Amino acid sequence: MKNKFKEYYQNNPDIGMKHDKIARDVCKNNAGKINPNIKEISDHPDKYDIDLIATLQNGDIQYIEAEYSLSWKSHKFPYGMFNVPSRKEKFFVKYPNSLYVMVNYNRTMIAIVEGDVILQQPLVEFPNRFNTSGEYFYRMILDNVRFEELI
């Protein structure tokens, strides 16, 4: 099955780059909310790899996959479950000390999930606006997600 989400952004690269930049910038500007031990955070040099590399106070490295949500527009997360696209799995396997950070549309909230927690969740086919026949997501209860207010 063709992934229409990926196809949409391949056909509209300016939109994809804009959304990716928003997510990266929000994470870089709010690194302390993501992990108070972050000393420095920067873009990964390979644009096809995980989004951000953070150096922690103790010298360890943490990797961050940042995502900008067009559907989460309120302060409160509007859904009963949290989905992480299975296409992101490669990052959490490659980088065990990784985080998935979703930025809400208004850039006032972030949702944070540890990569190893994501990989323990069931994969569920779930339809969305890009893939009506479904795309696979790691689906989890909200107890596995940490929400942080940015303003």
Side-chain angles (χ1 to χ4, degrees), residues 13-29 43 51-52 66-68 103 107:
D14 291 344
I15 293 171
M17 287 172 36
K18 176 184 172 188
H19 292 166
D20 195 45
K21 182 173 177 6
I22 289 169
R24 287 173 186 248
D25 288 349
V26 168
C27 287
K28 288 188 278 190
N29 293 331
D43 291 323
D51 290 322
L52 300 165
E67 185 112 359
Y68 180 57
V103 178
R107 303 174 214 169

Side-chain angles (χ1 to χ4, degrees), residues 4 16 18-19 23-24 26 36 42-43 45 47-48 65 77 80 82-84 90 100 104 107 110 112 115 119-120 139:
K4 291 181 183 173
K18 176 184 172 188
H19 292 166
R24 287 173 186 248
V26 168
S42 60
D43 291 323
K47 71 177 184 175
Y48 298 107
E65 180 62 16
F77 190 72
F82 192 84
N83 293 332
V84 176
K90 61 186 176 271
Y100 177 81
N104 78 338
R107 303 174 214 169
I110 54 175
I112 305 158
L119 295 175
Q120 294 170 15
R139 192 163 169 84

Side-chain angles (χ1 to χ4, degrees), residues 65-143:
E65 180 62 16
E67 185 112 359
Y68 180 57
S69 174
L70 299 176
S71 65
W72 175 19
K73 295 184 177 178
S74 60
H75 184 79
K76 183 178 177 355
F77 190 72
Y79 308 107
M81 300 289 281
F82 192 84
N83 293 332
V84 176
S86 64
R87 66 183 181 277
K88 305 291 184 178
E89 174 185 44
K90 61 186 176 271
F91 301 134
F92 309 123
V93 170
K94 183 177 179 180
Y95 303 110
N97 188 20
S98 58
L99 299 172
Y100 177 81
V101 179
M102 180 185 284
V103 178
N104 78 338
Y105 182 79
N106 298 324
R107 303 174 214 169
T108 57
M109 294 289 295
I110 54 175
I112 305 158
V113 187
E114 295 176 8
D116 60 336
V117 171
I118 292 167
L119 295 175
Q120 294 170 15
Q121 305 309 308
L123 268 176
V124 177
E125 186 177 12
F126 197 76
N128 57 52
R129 72 183 189 139
F130 291 102
N131 294 296
T132 53
S133 62
E135 179 180 1
Y136 284 89
F137 292 87
Y138 286 97
R139 192 163 169 84
M140 66 199 76
I141 60 172
L142 298 182
D143 289 347

